[in-house]
């Protein structure tokens, strides 16, 4: 999967502070034979949450930002069940009040939504078939578990055989855990979209605790660790997801990309190939395979695989941006610009495309235009170290060394192993006459393997 783009898109979400509306519902669950506090509370939460999501779905479909009743395009391809499944993953449910007396479980819950931002999040999910699949499967798991519990409750009530009743009670408890795990999974997705990323790992871990065979939860927990910079932990979780579900093509994609992050390209390529074997229409797999070959230094194969991805999915914004990037770094400007413009046309939030288009214009000495494009990339994705680095280079080119230093430092804060940023920061300090600071940065770059920094230190009489 295009994991790096997915992370950038999630990081670009805005907080919900305007056009907000809060929905509140209550539900009372009457416990039956086999119920306890956990199962009763889970069913009460499931029912109140589904009622809230259905109400929010109608509100979003029937009311646009200007108060009209024009149906939003984000919903045009979805049925009500799909909308509710997606809403479960882009919102968080707050429990306002709950009470259990051993027979009844009363719960009152609320969901606050910002129409504009939630609709934007839904549009992002709709255009990402993997996220769409995750949330639809989770909604189906929850609905199936709740239906099974209804059926088992009736069977348990009428069962006279003690051993069969015991077996049905065990199945009932298992279904309750699966239902609860699905609800926690939805909250994990919502925590990410709602900028509560400190909680997403906790929520996915809770889902796994309840359902140790929940492959999607392991996979998404892996994505959470990956975005936090813990590649080793992410790899083990992707491997666990695959062990539980050997046909899980997306987990192979992301495992491969995690290997790329560790520069284990030869481990990554078989993972991408396996993802493609499992899903011949997986444009993500071809894009990732192209990126792996680019990292391997085989530009011809890289271009071939990205072109294949675009043939499979003509709306593959990343495929166009990647091709544009390759042509940009090989000085094929005439090919790079239209590809990057196409990527932005397909996805106006593609920070990678804006950053690379800025690189092209900087190379053409249109520095002000480059600065505008780098700032656009940063506005979309504030966690994009290369955009800060490129912005620093642009300010340096304009002679604004102080601002360039600030940009390089921001790039390093986001990526402490960014050797080129240390190198250019060192040169900037040296240019200002702050020789000691400059040498320290250049030494750091050299330790990180930057050959230009190593040469500079040698030429200027410093130990390597």
């Amino acid at each position: 999967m295009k994991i790096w783009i997915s992370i950038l898109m999630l990081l670009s979400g805005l907080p919900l502070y305007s056009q907000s509306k809060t929905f509140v519902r209550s539900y009372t669950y009457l416990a039956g034979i086999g119920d306890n506090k956990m199962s009763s509370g889970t069913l009460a939460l499931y029912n109140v949450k589904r009622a809230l999501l259905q109400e929010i779905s109608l509100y979003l479909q029937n009311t646009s930002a200007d108060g009209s009743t024009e149906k939003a395009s984000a919903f045009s391809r979805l049925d009500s069940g799909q909308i509710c499944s997606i809403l479960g993953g882009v919102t968080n449910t707050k429990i306002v009040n709950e009470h259990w007396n051993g027979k009844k479980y009363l719960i009152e819950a609320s969901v606050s939504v910002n129409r504009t931002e939630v609709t934007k999040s839904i549009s992002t999910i709709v255009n990402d078939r993997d996220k769409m699949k995750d949330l639809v499967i989770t909604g189906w798991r929850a609905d199936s578990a709740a239906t099974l519990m209804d059926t088992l409750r009736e069977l348990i009530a009428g069962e006279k055989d003690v051993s069969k009743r015991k077996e049905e009670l065990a199945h009932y408890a298992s279904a309750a855990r699966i239902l609860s795990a699905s609800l926690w999974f939805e909250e994990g997705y919502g925590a990410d979209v709602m900028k509560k990323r400190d909680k997403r790992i906790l929520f996915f871990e809770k889902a796994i605790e309840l359902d140790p065979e929940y492959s999607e939860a392991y996979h998404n927990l892996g994505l959470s660790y990956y975005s936090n910079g813990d590649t080793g932990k992410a790899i083990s979780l992707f491997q666990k997801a695959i062990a539980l579900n050997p046909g899980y093509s997306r987990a192979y994609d992301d495992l491969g990309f995690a290997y790329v992050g560790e520069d284990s390209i030869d481990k990554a390529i078989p993972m991408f190939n396996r993802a493609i074997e499992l899903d011949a229409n997986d444009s993500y797999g071809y894009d990732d395979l192209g990126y792996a070959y680019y990292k391997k230094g085989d530009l011809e194969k890289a271009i071939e695989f990205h072109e294949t991805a675009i043939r499979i999915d003509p709306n593959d914004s990343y495929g166009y941006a990647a091709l544009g990037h390759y042509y940009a770094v090989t000085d094929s400007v005439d090919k790079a610009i239209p590809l990057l413009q196409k990527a932005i046309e397909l996805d106006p939030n593609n920070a990678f495309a804006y950053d690379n288009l800025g690189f092209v214009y900087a190379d053409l000495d249109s520095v002000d235009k480059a600065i505008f494009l780098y700032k656009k990339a940063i506005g979309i994705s504030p966690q994009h170290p290369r955009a800060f680095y490129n912005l620093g280079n642009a300010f340096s080119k304009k002679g604004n060394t102080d601002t360039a230093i600030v940009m390089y430092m921001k790039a390093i804060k986001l990526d402490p192993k960014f050797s080129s940023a240390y190198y250019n920061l060192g040169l900037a300090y040296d240019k200002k006459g702050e020789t000691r600071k400059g040498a320290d940065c250049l030494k750091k770059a050299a330790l990180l393997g930057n050959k230009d920094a190593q040469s500079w230190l040698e030429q200027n009489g410093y130990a390597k």
Side-chain angles (χ1 to χ4, degrees):
M1 177 188 171
K2 293 166 280 195
I3 183 173
W4 58 98
I5 290 298
S6 296
I7 290 168
L8 291 178
M9 289 174 71
L10 289 173
L11 289 170
S12 69
L14 299 173
L16 306 184
Y17 52 80
S18 64
Q19 297 183 352
S20 293
K21 181 176 175 66
T22 299
F23 298 81
V24 182
R25 283 288 189 102
S26 61
Y27 184 88
T28 300
Y29 176 74
L30 301 177
I33 299 171
D35 276 315
N36 54 24
K37 184 178 181 180
M38 180 269 183
S39 64
S40 299
T42 298
L43 282 164
L45 177 59
Y46 166 78
N47 281 288
V48 77
K49 185 172 182 178
R50 287 301 180 265
L52 282 166
L53 296 180
Q54 287 169 6
E55 185 178 355
I56 294 167
S57 172
L58 289 172
Y59 164 72
L60 293 173
Q61 289 181 80
N62 296 329
T63 311
S64 64
D66 61 4
S68 69
T69 57
E70 181 182 354
K71 188 171 182 178
S73 60
F75 303 100
S76 60
R77 289 181 279 160
L78 306 174
D79 60 37
S80 59
Q82 289 172 323
I83 293 171
C84 286
S85 292
I86 295 171
L87 279 172
V90 299
T91 59
N92 278 140
T93 304
K94 180 181 179 181
I95 297 175
V96 178
N97 183 36
E98 57 185 328
H99 178 69
W100 165 248
N101 65 6
K103 295 181 179 179
K104 296 179 181 179
Y105 203 110
L106 169 66
I107 189 166
E108 183 179 8
S110 69
V111 175
S112 294
V113 298
N114 173 289
R115 181 196 302 106
T116 301
E117 295 306 322
V118 170
T119 301
K120 184 191 298 183
S121 296
I122 290 171
S123 296
T124 299
I125 298 293
V126 170
N127 291 320
D128 186 327
R129 64 189 182 118
D130 286 331
K131 284 187 173 62
M132 177 86 167
K133 187 175 181 181
D134 264 358
L135 291 175
V136 170
I137 286 175
T138 295
W140 173 84
R141 279 170 55 93
D143 293 343
S144 297
T147 300
L148 177 59
M149 290 177 76
D150 287 341
T151 302
L152 286 169
R153 242 188 334 269
E154 293 182 10
L155 290 173
I156 292 166
E159 187 58 68
K160 303 298 182 184
D161 186 292
V162 175
S163 62
K164 285 185 178 180
R165 195 180 202 203
K166 186 176 180 180
E167 186 178 325
E168 287 162 355
L169 285 167
H171 287 158
Y172 188 82
S174 176
R177 288 193 296 273
I178 290 172
L179 175 57
S180 184
S182 300
L183 296 176
W184 281 111
F185 182 91
E186 287 180 346
E187 291 298 300
Y189 245 92
D192 205 356
V193 175
M194 302 280 285
K195 307 286 281 185
K196 297 178 180 178
R197 296 186 184 89
D198 57 327
K199 292 185 177 181
R200 63 180 175 179
I201 287 178
L202 174 66
F203 291 159
F204 288 134
E205 285 179 338
K206 185 67 176 177
I208 289 168
E209 178 187 335
L210 289 159
D211 183 1
E213 297 187 357
Y214 200 163
S215 61
E216 289 85 2
Y218 283 101
H219 174 245
N220 279 275
L221 182 58
L223 290 175
S224 300
Y225 276 107
Y226 186 89
S227 65
N228 285 349
D230 192 340
T231 306
K233 181 72 172 176
I235 286 172
S236 67
L237 288 162
F238 295 148
Q239 289 171 332
K240 180 66 175 179
I242 289 168
L244 289 168
N245 181 5
Y248 199 166
S249 63
R250 185 182 172 198
Y252 283 102
D253 258 341
D254 290 341
L255 176 57
F257 197 78
Y259 282 137
V260 171
E262 292 200 328
D263 290 324
S264 300
I265 308 299
D266 290 335
K267 286 184 178 180
I269 288 173
M271 297 301 103
F272 298 141
N273 280 324
R274 180 60 179 152
I276 291 167
E277 286 174 12
L278 290 167
D279 184 357
N281 293 317
D282 181 13
S283 61
Y284 296 167
Y286 284 103
D287 272 329
D288 284 346
L289 198 52
Y291 180 66
Y293 276 105
Y294 169 69
K295 293 282 285 185
K296 198 176 173 71
D298 192 336
L299 193 59
E300 186 178 343
K301 274 194 173 181
I303 290 172
E304 175 189 337
F305 285 119
H306 284 298
E307 287 177 342
T308 300
I310 290 169
R311 281 198 299 273
I312 291 170
D313 180 7
N315 295 317
D316 181 4
S317 174
Y318 180 76
Y320 284 102
L323 287 173
H325 170 70
Y326 301 157
Y327 287 123
V329 297
T330 55
D331 296 324
S332 300
V333 173
D334 291 343
K335 290 183 178 180
I337 290 176
L339 287 164
L340 293 166
Q341 288 174 335
K342 179 67 174 178
I344 291 167
E345 177 190 330
L346 290 168
D347 179 9
N349 290 316
N350 190 331
F352 181 64
Y354 281 108
D355 181 36
N356 278 280
L357 192 56
F359 179 84
V360 171
Y361 280 109
D363 199 44
L364 292 172
D365 289 327
S366 296
V367 183
D368 289 335
K369 189 163 188 176
I371 288 172
F372 170 80
L373 291 163
Y374 293 144
K375 287 182 176 179
K376 183 75 173 176
I378 291 166
I380 294 168
S381 176
Q383 308 295 317
H384 194 349
R386 183 156 292 277
F388 281 107
Y389 167 76
N390 286 333
L391 185 56
N393 290 342
F395 279 117
S396 180
K397 202 168 187 177
K398 284 178 70 72
N400 191 339
T401 306
D402 289 335
T403 305
I405 286 172
V406 172
M407 295 303 114
Y408 294 139
M409 290 177 71
K410 286 184 177 180
I412 289 166
K413 184 177 181 181
L414 291 167
D415 181 1
K417 295 182 179 180
F418 200 160
S419 66
S420 296
Y422 278 108
Y423 174 69
N424 284 6
L425 178 59
L427 294 181
Y429 276 128
D430 188 66
K431 185 177 180 180
K432 284 190 59 161
E434 298 183 42
T435 309
R436 179 170 294 180
K437 278 186 178 181
D440 287 343
C441 291
L442 287 157
K443 286 176 183 177
K444 180 67 175 177
L447 286 172
L448 290 168
N450 189 291
K451 297 189 184 308
D452 290 331
Q454 292 166 2
S455 298
W456 189 95
L457 291 168
E458 186 175 357
Q459 290 168 10
N460 287 274
Y462 292 90
K464 292 184 180 180

